[in-house]
Amino acid sequence: MNLGGFKNKEVLVDLTNGTVDYRDINENDAIKYIGGRGLGVKYVLDNGPEVEPLSPENILCFMTGPVTGSRSSMSGRLCVVTKSPLTGTVTDSHIGGWTAARLKWAGIDNLIFSGKSDKPVYLYISDGKAEIRDASDLWGTSTRAFIKAMKDQHGEEDLSVMTIGQAGENTVRFASFINEHDRAAGRGGTAAVAGYKKLKAIVIKAAQKGNMPVAKLESEYKEANKKAVKAILDGGLTAPNKGGLSVYGTNVLTNLINEVGALPTKNSQFTHWDEAEKHSGEYVNTHLRVANNTCHACPVGCKIEVEVKDGKYKTRVESIEFESAWSLGSNCLLSDAEAISFMIDRCNEYGLDTIELGHAFSVTMEAYEKGIISDELIWGDADSMIELMRKIAFREGFGGVLAEGPARATASWGAPELSMSVKGQSIPAYDPRGIQGIGLGYATSNRGACHLRGYTVASEIAGIPEPTDRLQPEGKGELLKVFQDMLAFSDSMNICKFSSFSENAEHYAEQYSAMTGVQLTADDVMKAGERIYNLERYYNNLAGFNKREDDFLPKRFTEEPASGNSAGVVSRMDIMLEEYYQVRGWQDGLVPNEKLRELGIIDAENQLV
């Protein structure tokens, strides 16, 4: 391979046979799909969209990008790609910290797991070599207990551990990977795939010194990185110790989103809640914050570590993210930040997606309130939520029903309309009535409802890069496509999405070009992102998501008006989806062969290339 940034080494782990092999990376694929998310999706598509998510045939990919572990700011992201047991779509989930950088420093770009082990195992990586090791004695442990055991065995220095907890072991469909500093690859149930395969963890021993990726054009890379760092340091949201993300973490958004009337409340029955301030970033900063932490090569430090010093919710955890605070808080009419902190801590111990868990609670609360089910859960009852969380993680009793995910649970109750989900994945913390573009983003996301596929909130709320009217549906199709394509590229270069608040396509192009030696323009960046987004959509089409109805929102958003400062508004999906399909060149959600050929995804004989 002639590209800079790559170690040109992938590890193929066959868990059925207990073997480890190595291969080079296909250079043409790496150029076309960049790395990270894009290359991982190509591998999952090559493996076949018809596989069952919880089967030996499904593969589980851990992917870095060409700048991972380098001096590029925010380049500490790892991408987990597989077929989701929650949605049945292709999914990718990202995790911060140092695990990704350390994998690259160990001389390895990517890990691809296939098959199923007959006993619990973990993969140990050191000095460019990978070894399957027995984890039988540690099966059943929490994430933190496993991490501690690995530190005791391998030493804390230069060690990263990425592991599943009991939720993953029990194949909870929204189980998460957790790494060394409470960072989660949360969405899509990737840890359930690992649990099914009896893969407990990935353990990496590697130092930075002498092992960072080498840029093909070093002087150009230094200049490109200098420009990108300056953009971040000067950014309104990203400036260290000044910007909102640095001072308050992601939870800086709670009061802002609540004020505009776009905070989904009581399972999205309302879009404003007077009590939300009590779990906001400002409140946490004043009452619970004890430290700021960060990831590899990140000057922002958006991870706000909190501590509850006494009482029944005593804990120390990183951190009360906006999505977690909302899902377990306003979504469930719980304002107690200490109780929310404790629940986030338990989610990290069990390895549970906080967003999906909060929805599991809220659909249960609404179903019980309406007499649909007899299993009692009262709005805002923190102690009952904590106990039910445990039952979900261990699939005990009614917890086993919710472990299937809120969409499946509500369907089994004969009340699917209670689940605020798209393609089986529940919405994040932005109400699609009060922020029209993000609703279109939820509906057309290739991994189910998600704000991180195309974060139009940046424009509709923060005015980045330019302001748009949050209540205006017209023009949101084109706006969303730009965000989706750009973030598909950054996820594949494997750089944190928060960089996009300050950097643009030109910054990405310059860093990528200097690192790899493959010259891209800003337009090329957007074209590569478009290719990756269409590759994912093609996978989903082949997996059975081939109807216009698959790209729509729950009726609550399109028929029941919002409250607060968005009062009376509903999501205008009818306008936005038609415009979006036209901009994408899709036909009712299907990618036509002409578009696939135009983007170089298939050839003239309609074969994948």
Side-chain angles (χ1 to χ4, degrees), residues 485 522-532 595 598-599:
D485 292 348
D523 288 343
D524 294 331
V525 163
M526 301 307 293
K527 181 60 70 174
E530 182 183 15
R531 181 181 302 114
I532 292 161
K595 173 60 70 172
E598 172 196 323
L599 294 170

Side-chain angles (χ1 to χ4, degrees), residues 526-544:
M526 301 307 293
K527 181 60 70 174
E530 182 183 15
R531 181 181 302 114
I532 292 161
Y533 209 84
N534 277 267
L535 183 76
E536 293 171 339
R537 175 58 60 135
Y538 182 48
Y539 179 101
N540 287 350
N541 289 163
L542 295 173

Side-chain angles (χ1 to χ4, degrees), residues 445-525:
S445 162
N446 290 327
R447 68 169 189 170
C450 178
H451 59 300
L452 295 173
R453 301 294 87 174
Y455 193 67
T456 62
V457 176
S459 172
E460 294 174 289
I461 297 296
I464 299 172
E466 295 178 355
T468 52
D469 187 339
R470 65 183 177 86
L471 299 179
Q472 178 65 255
E474 287 82 7
K476 294 302 168 64
E478 185 171 356
L479 177 72
L480 177 63
K481 179 183 181 296
V482 170
F483 275 93
Q484 286 176 337
D485 292 348
M486 183 166 171
L487 294 179
F489 184 90
S490 66
D491 280 347
S492 302
M493 195 164 72
N494 254 11
I495 193 167
C496 180
K497 284 187 173 71
F498 290 163
S499 65
S500 66
F501 290 140
S502 302
E503 297 182 54
N504 55 34
E506 184 175 343
H507 288 108
Y508 293 157
E510 290 176 351
Q511 292 175 82
Y512 175 87
S513 299
M515 176 60 78
T516 65
V518 177
Q519 295 302 309
L520 295 187
T521 65
D523 288 343
D524 294 331
V525 163

Side-chain angles (χ1 to χ4, degrees), residues 159-443:
L159 189 76
S160 285
V161 181
M162 184 175 177
T163 184
I164 66 174
Q166 296 96 332
E169 293 177 4
N170 293 312
T171 62
V172 175
R173 290 184 186 269
F174 50 95
S176 303
F177 275 97
I178 304 292
N179 78 0
E180 69 269 19
H181 290 285
D182 285 349
R183 313 293 165 80
R187 310 233 68 191
T190 56
V193 176
Y196 172 84
K197 293 179 178 296
K198 290 292 192 290
L199 175 66
K200 179 66 174 177
I202 296 164
V203 181
I204 307 166
K205 188 81 167 178
Q208 172 181 316
K209 187 176 181 181
N211 292 317
M212 294 181 79
V214 177
K216 197 73 172 178
L217 306 170
E218 182 60 28
S219 60
E220 287 90 340
Y221 175 70
K222 286 181 179 179
E223 184 60 29
N225 188 44
K226 182 179 178 181
K227 288 172 64 176
V229 169
K230 185 179 187 304
I232 290 169
L233 297 181
D234 293 343
L237 283 172
T238 57
N241 302 314
K242 293 187 294 183
L245 277 174
S246 186
V247 176
Y248 299 109
T250 60
N251 207 4
V252 68
L253 289 164
T254 294
N255 285 334
L256 176 60
I257 300 302
N258 192 41
E259 177 61 27
V260 301
L263 191 71
T265 299
K266 199 180 182 185
N267 197 32
S268 298
Q269 294 180 59
F270 306 99
T271 59
H272 174 86
W273 191 37
D274 289 340
E275 298 292 305
E277 189 280 330
K278 294 180 181 177
H279 60 66
S280 69
E282 290 84 348
Y283 180 92
V284 169
N285 191 55
T286 301
H287 296 90
L288 298 175
R289 171 180 167 174
V290 291
N292 263 57
N293 293 317
T294 194
C295 302
H296 162 73
C298 180
V300 179
C302 72
K303 302 300 179 184
I304 309 299
E305 189 167 344
V306 302
E307 183 176 15
V308 179
K309 296 185 178 179
D310 50 40
K312 62 181 178 179
Y313 301 131
K314 182 179 179 180
T315 190
R316 183 163 177 153
V317 65
E318 181 196 278
S319 60
I320 303 185
E321 299 280 2
F322 170 51
E323 304 292 338
S324 304
W326 158 77
S327 185
L328 301 169
S330 298
N331 181 48
C332 298
L333 295 189
L334 175 65
S335 62
D336 187 340
E338 294 189 353
I340 292 170
S341 299
F342 186 84
M343 277 191 273
I344 293 171
D345 180 66
R346 294 281 79 78
C347 281
N348 291 342
E349 288 272 12
Y350 296 138
L352 283 166
D353 175 16
T354 56
I355 297 176
E356 212 67 47
L357 179 68
H359 279 279
F361 293 152
S362 64
V363 297
T364 302
M365 291 164 175
E366 183 170 355
Y368 175 75
E369 183 180 53
K370 292 182 173 178
I372 296 171
I373 61 173
S374 59
D375 296 272
E376 182 177 352
L377 190 63
I378 305 298
W379 295 105
D381 184 348
D383 293 339
S384 295
M385 292 162 70
I386 291 166
E387 174 56 17
L388 183 54
M389 180 198 313
R390 185 193 65 79
K391 291 181 178 179
I392 292 171
F394 288 91
R395 283 188 175 268
E396 291 183 7
F398 181 64
V401 176
L402 295 175
E404 291 295 292
R408 285 181 173 84
T410 55
S412 73
W413 305 334
E417 71 278 2
L418 298 187
S419 176
M420 300 301 108
S421 58
V422 177
K423 301 179 181 70
Q425 183 162 281
S426 300
I427 70 158
Y430 308 89
D431 193 278
R433 292 162 289 191
I435 307 175
Q436 293 284 312
I438 202 64
L440 179 64
Y442 294 165

Side-chain angles (χ1 to χ4, degrees), residues 107-160:
I108 294 169
D109 295 292
N110 308 312
L111 310 170
I112 297 95
F113 292 86
S114 62
K116 178 184 180 182
S117 177
D118 59 2
K119 65 179 181 181
V121 296
Y122 71 94
L123 191 73
Y124 181 73
I125 297 170
S126 180
D127 297 326
K129 296 180 180 179
E131 176 186 350
I132 300 172
R133 295 192 175 184
D134 192 355
S136 299
D137 291 346
L138 292 168
W139 194 253
T141 58
S142 71
T143 59
R144 294 202 186 99
F146 185 86
I147 290 170
K148 183 180 185 302
M150 292 297 99
K151 288 180 176 179
D152 290 344
Q153 181 173 342
H154 302 294
E156 292 191 28
E157 187 176 1
D158 301 327
L159 189 76
S160 285

